[in-house]
Amino acid sequence: MNNSEQKVVAVIMVGGPTKGTRFRPLSFNTPKPLFPLAGQPMVHHPISACKSIPNLAQIFLIGFHEEREFALYVSSISSELKIPVRYLKEDKPHGSAGGLHYFKDLIMEDNPSHIFLLNCDVCCSFPLPEMLDAHRRYGGMGTLLVIKVSAESASEFGELVADSVTKELLHYTEKPETFVSDLINCGVYVFTPEIFNVIHDIRTQHEDRASLHTLSSYDALRLATKTPTKDFVRLDQDILSPLAGKKQLYTYETMDFWEQIKTPAMSLKCSALYLAQFRFNSPGLLACGDGIKNPTVVGDVYIHPSAKVHPTAKIGPNVSISANVRVAAGVRLISCIILDDAEIQENAFVMYAIVGWKSSLGKWARVQGEGDYKRKLGITILGEAVTVEDEVVVVNSIVLPNKVLNISVQEEIIL
C-alpha cells in the first residue's frame, strides 16, 4: 500500500479533573481542555491542526473527564471538520502510553499505518504533515517533535540528545536534576502500530516484577498506595528512555513557537500566540475596526460575533472576547481574555488579565497584571461572576468566583 492510501489516526490526551488543579479558578466549572484560547477551546487548536494530516481517518480524545462535558463540543467539531471525533473516557488514569493501549482496539479499527499522539496542553504550530514525512524517511517506530530552549528552562521538561545527522534519539531523561541538553520533548509524537507491542511488553514487565516480590501485608498496602498499577505506562520514563539509542525513535525539530499550558497565566500567553498564528492560517477570525462604525482594533484581536463592543472602545493587541460580552464606551482592553457574558462598563481598563464568565467591571475600574506569565500573581484572574465596582483597581490578584470587590487590591488571592 503506498503512502497516499495509508490511513492515519490522531489521539489527543486531555487528562481529567485531577490534572487541572493548577488551572484553578478557571477549571472549576469548565474542563481545562475546553477553556478558550484565541476564542477557541484549548483542544480545538490541536484538533484543527490534525485536519492537515493526509488520509486522516479519525481523531480520538482520551481522558477521564465525564463524557457529558465533551459531548456537545465533540458533536459540533465533527460536523465542522467533517472528520469523526470521538471522546473515550478512561475508567482510571493509565498514563500517557497506558491510555493509548487501553483503547487499542478502537484506535486500530481503521487499520491505520500511523498514529499521532498529542497532548492537549501543548501550544505550538503543530507541523504534523512535516513530521509524518520525516518519520517515513527515518523508518523508525516513532518520531518526537522537539525544540531548543534556554539551558535555564530545559530542566523543567524532558531533555534529550539526538544525532545531528540521522536525528536518532540517543538519550532521553525526564526533568533531570543536572543539565543534559537544551533540546526538549514537545509532547507531540507519531508512531507506527508497533508502539502497542512495546506498551504490551512494558505491562508484562510490570506484572512480572510485581509477582517476583513477596511482601508483608504492611508493605503490600504501602506500595499499593504509591506504586502505579501494571497497566499504568508512562511514555517518557517507560518507553522513550529505554528505547533511546536503539534506532527505533527519531526527532523532528520545530523552529516555531512552543509552550506548555499549565497555568492560567500561560493560557493568556498562548492565546496571544494562537492569535498571531491566525494571521497566517485563519485571517478571517481576526477582527478589524477603525473606530467609526466598529471599535478601534490594534494588532491581533478575536471578537465573537455575538459580542457587543462600543465603537469608541479600543481593543488590542492580543485580546480575545467571547460570546455575549458587552463592552461599553471608552473601554481599553490590552492582552486579555474576556469570557462569556462578561460586562465591561464605561471607561474601564483591562490589561494582562482574564475576566471570568458573567463577571462585571464597573465604570473607570482597572483590572491589570504586570504580564509575568511565570509568576503566580503575574497576571490578574477574575473567576466566574466576580463584580468589580466603579473605580476599583485590581492589580496582580486572583479572585475566586462570586466575589464582590468594592475596595482596591494588589498582590492578593481573594478566597
Side-chain angles (χ1 to χ4, degrees):
M1 187 183 292
N2 61 44
N3 291 349
S4 63
E5 297 171 341
Q6 293 178 334
K7 290 184 178 178
V8 179
V9 297
V11 176
I12 302 174
M13 308 303 288
V14 299
T18 59
K19 294 290 186 181
T21 54
R22 279 190 283 174
F23 212 69
R24 293 171 182 168
L26 301 177
S27 58
F28 279 147
N29 297 318
T30 298
K32 178 183 170 183
L34 298 182
F35 182 80
L37 306 179
Q40 311 292 332
M42 184 185 298
V43 72
H44 185 95
H45 299 282
I47 288 177
S48 296
C50 287
K51 193 178 179 184
S52 66
I53 301 170
N55 301 319
L56 181 68
Q58 286 198 76
I59 300 173
F60 298 94
L61 311 182
I62 295 180
F64 42 102
H65 293 278
E66 291 301 323
E67 291 180 49
R68 57 180 167 75
E69 296 181 297
F70 279 82
L72 187 61
Y73 174 72
V74 164
S75 175
S76 65
I77 193 65
S78 296
S79 300
E80 180 185 328
L81 298 184
K82 296 180 174 53
I83 294 171
V85 179
R86 300 165 67 180
Y87 177 69
L88 305 177
K89 182 179 183 294
E90 297 179 81
D91 59 344
K92 61 182 178 180
H94 291 87
S96 48
L100 195 69
H101 191 273
Y102 186 73
F103 294 107
K104 172 187 173 183
D105 292 344
L106 288 171
I107 292 168
M108 291 301 297
E109 65 185 5
D110 288 307
N111 194 29
S113 63
H114 293 86
I115 301 137
F116 273 93
L117 179 63
L118 298 83
N119 285 292
C120 173
D121 62 356
V122 162
C123 168
C124 68
S125 59
F126 297 105
L128 306 183
E130 295 86 349
M131 272 188 76
L132 184 58
D133 288 344
H135 173 74
R136 283 172 168 151
R137 289 197 308 271
Y138 298 151
M141 181 191 72
T143 298
L144 299 68
L145 186 68
V146 302
I147 191 171
K148 280 188 178 176
V149 297
S150 67
E152 295 75 28
S153 62
S155 62
E156 300 171 22
F157 310 101
E159 296 183 26
L160 56 97
V161 177
D163 187 290
S164 59
V165 177
T166 67
K167 307 303 179 185
E168 182 194 353
L169 180 68
L170 300 177
H171 179 73
Y172 183 89
T173 181
E174 185 69 15
K175 299 178 182 176
E177 293 183 4
T178 57
F179 178 74
V180 174
S181 167
D182 58 358
L183 206 58
I184 65 164
N185 178 10
C186 290
V188 178
Y189 315 87
V190 59
F191 294 107
T192 63
E194 188 184 346
I195 185 66
F196 290 112
N197 297 330
V198 174
I199 300 171
H200 176 76
D201 291 344
I202 297 293
R203 284 160 52 100
T204 302
Q205 290 173 22
H206 287 178
E207 289 178 8
D208 293 345
R209 197 175 298 132
S211 64
L212 283 173
H213 291 85
T214 303
L215 302 171
S216 68
S217 58
Y218 170 76
D219 286 338
L221 179 62
R222 180 174 57 84
L223 286 174
T225 60
K226 291 185 177 182
T227 306
T229 57
K230 66 180 185 300
D231 54 359
F232 189 94
V233 182
R234 302 159 300 184
L235 190 61
D236 38 25
Q237 291 102 319
D238 293 327
I239 293 177
L240 301 186
S241 293
L243 291 185
K246 296 183 178 178
K247 300 192 183 305
Q248 294 195 61
L249 299 174
Y250 292 82
T251 62
Y252 180 82
E253 185 177 351
T254 177
M255 302 298 176
D256 215 334
F257 65 92
W258 180 87
E259 295 289 350
Q260 202 170 20
I261 315 165
K262 293 298 185 185
T263 64
M266 286 307 299
S267 75
L268 185 56
K269 179 177 183 179
C270 291
S271 184
L273 290 171
Y274 280 136
L275 285 169
Q277 191 182 32
F278 283 171
R279 268 183 275 157
F280 305 101
N281 60 15
S282 303
L285 291 175
L286 294 176
C288 55
D290 56 8
I292 300 173
K293 289 185 178 180
N294 299 300
T296 300
V297 171
V298 180
D300 301 320
V301 171
Y302 170 84
I303 301 177
H304 191 277
S306 66
K308 292 180 170 55
V309 184
H310 196 276
T312 61
K314 188 173 182 180
I315 316 295
N318 304 326
V319 172
S320 174
I321 298 176
S322 297
N324 303 311
V325 169
R326 300 175 302 286
V327 178
V331 166
R332 184 71 176 101
L333 304 179
I334 304 169
S335 295
C336 58
I337 296 174
I338 313 296
L339 296 169
D340 294 8
D341 303 302
E343 180 181 16
I344 317 294
Q345 296 182 31
E346 287 84 352
N347 301 304
F349 176 87
V350 182
M351 180 172 70
Y352 294 120
I354 298 174
V355 177
W357 306 266
K358 302 176 185 175
S359 290
S360 174
L361 274 60
K363 298 173 183 176
W364 295 99
R366 292 180 69 94
V367 173
Q368 64 188 78
E370 64 186 32
D372 184 344
Y373 299 114
K374 294 191 175 181
R375 200 167 73 86
K376 186 172 185 179
L377 296 179
I379 71 167
T380 287
I381 302 161
L382 305 184
E384 183 173 1
V386 169
T387 299
V388 179
E389 296 192 345
D390 294 354
E391 301 182 22
V392 168
V393 178
V394 184
V395 179
N396 290 346
S397 296
I398 298 174
V399 184
L400 268 63
N402 304 304
K403 303 298 178 188
V404 176
L405 297 183
N406 53 20
I407 58 170
S408 296
V409 294
Q410 182 171 353
E411 302 276 345
E412 289 194 40
I413 299 176
I414 310 296
L415 301 175

